[in-house]
Amino acid sequence: MKIIILGAGQVGGTLAEHLAHEENDITVVDTDGGRLRDLHNRLDIRTVSGPASYPMVLRQAGCEDADMLIAVTNSDEVNMIACQVAHTLFRTPTKIARVRATAYLTRKGLFAHEAVPIDVLISPEQVVTDHIRRLIEYPGALQVLEFAGGQAQLVAVKAFYGGPLVGQELGFLRRHMPNVDTRVAAIYRRNRPIIPRGDTVIEADDEVFFIAARRDIRAVMSELRRLDRDFRRVVIAGGGHIGERLAENLEHSHQVKIIEHDLERCTTLSERLDRTVVLHGSATSKRLLLEENIEDCDIFCALTNDDEVNIMSSMLAKRLGAKKVLTLINNAAYVDLVQGGEIDIAISPQQATIGSLLTHVRRGDIVNVHSLRRGAAEAIEAIAHGDARSSKVVGRAIDEIDLPSGTTIGAIVRGKEVLIAHDDVVVASGDHVILFVVDKRRIRDVERLFQVGLTFF
């Protein structure tokens, strides 16, 4: 595909990196020459310097014959105008834009073809907020991903000493929990992927990705680790867009406090939020954290725009007695460095957002993509179409499907039913198939698997 990315910031740069490795023709547009040079040297992609919404710049970037425009600059207005220009002057087929301001997002009909012609809206703050909310819902999970409207979930947990399944073969799980159906999609041991089989033994400290129907998630988690009690008291450092949205989501079911250093922002937050306690001060202030009884806090979420503040406040909160700490980290290089020590969960906003962008770039009927393990692996939800003659998956049992190496099918969602992918389950047309791919180089093969042959038409 010929794809133009507007904005070479963190999301634009990470996206270019993902797509450049998949034989796409990528052009990145930005006003920052230094960033463009870095991307060009690192990824060997085409770059154009200039304001992203100018017709001349878009023409120079190749908008006349581009398949897709992805506008992820830091300005909502630039992103919206660029999509309008691409539609009016160049008839670009697919336009994706990052729009942050709720003032735009809440206006009905604004993003229709006859108004501002954006095909797909991406709101990173909402994606990250949802991601954090799901982690708070399942204490002890490292990642919680939803498929088929939340009917099936893929959860990553670290196996602990003393978990009933630790030291046992995977086949034991089915005998031990006959009423709960689940499948382990992948195991990461010392950062290396293992494709699970019935005789694979789970070891302590393994990162286990399993898939199950939503109602069974807690039961499976309890087999791998001691279940943490539900989080009730939540402290949020940073009252920006993500902090505010998270507080709004949680305040009616949890006790929430927000720490914000900007007094004016504190006033705004206290007017907008109903039950959240808004505190003015620094999240790295030991005195403030002790005054607010940080030792009684179930989870401390550091969500400011400053990585260093997030890391330092999280480490301080943990040392002062917070049960769990979750830290937002923009610099992807830091994420692996800090997670697993004093910081329980490190979240990269780019990785969380990238999946929703990749969904629209994939070929075949792909309705969901989640980027995992810093982009090394992906979880994909694809819809099977066709019949036994035209499709490589429809009408076949799972053990008959020629899956690319390093790929496992975790579950199939058929209507309202979640079928865990045992070898004898047969794929039907219209099924939502959830796959786990540990080797990103195999993505193209997975896409081909779900493309319908010409005989179907």
Side-chain angles (χ1 to χ4, degrees), residues 103-120:
Y104 294 128
L105 295 170
T106 49
R107 300 298 294 185
K108 268 206 168 90
L110 181 60
F111 298 106
H113 255 281
E114 59 280 1
V116 182
I118 296 173
D119 302 297
V120 183

Side-chain angles (χ1 to χ4, degrees), residues 379-450:
I380 295 173
E381 178 185 343
I383 300 178
H385 292 294
D387 53 31
R389 287 201 326 277
S390 63
S391 166
K392 297 187 182 88
V393 292
V394 173
R396 288 171 172 77
I398 281 169
D399 63 349
E400 295 168 355
I401 297 171
D402 185 18
L403 288 171
S405 72
T407 304
T408 50
I409 293 179
I412 288 168
V413 180
R414 186 173 293 162
K416 295 280 177 210
E417 192 183 4
V418 178
L419 305 169
I420 297 303
H422 302 302
D423 287 350
D424 55 351
V425 174
V426 177
V427 179
S429 185
D431 280 357
H432 287 238
V433 181
I434 299 158
L435 304 104
F436 195 102
V437 188
V438 297
D439 183 355
K440 254 191 68 121
R441 290 170 302 185
R442 301 288 180 191
I443 295 290
R444 282 281 167 264
D445 300 332
V446 174
E447 290 175 353
R448 284 189 204 104
L449 203 58
F450 284 87

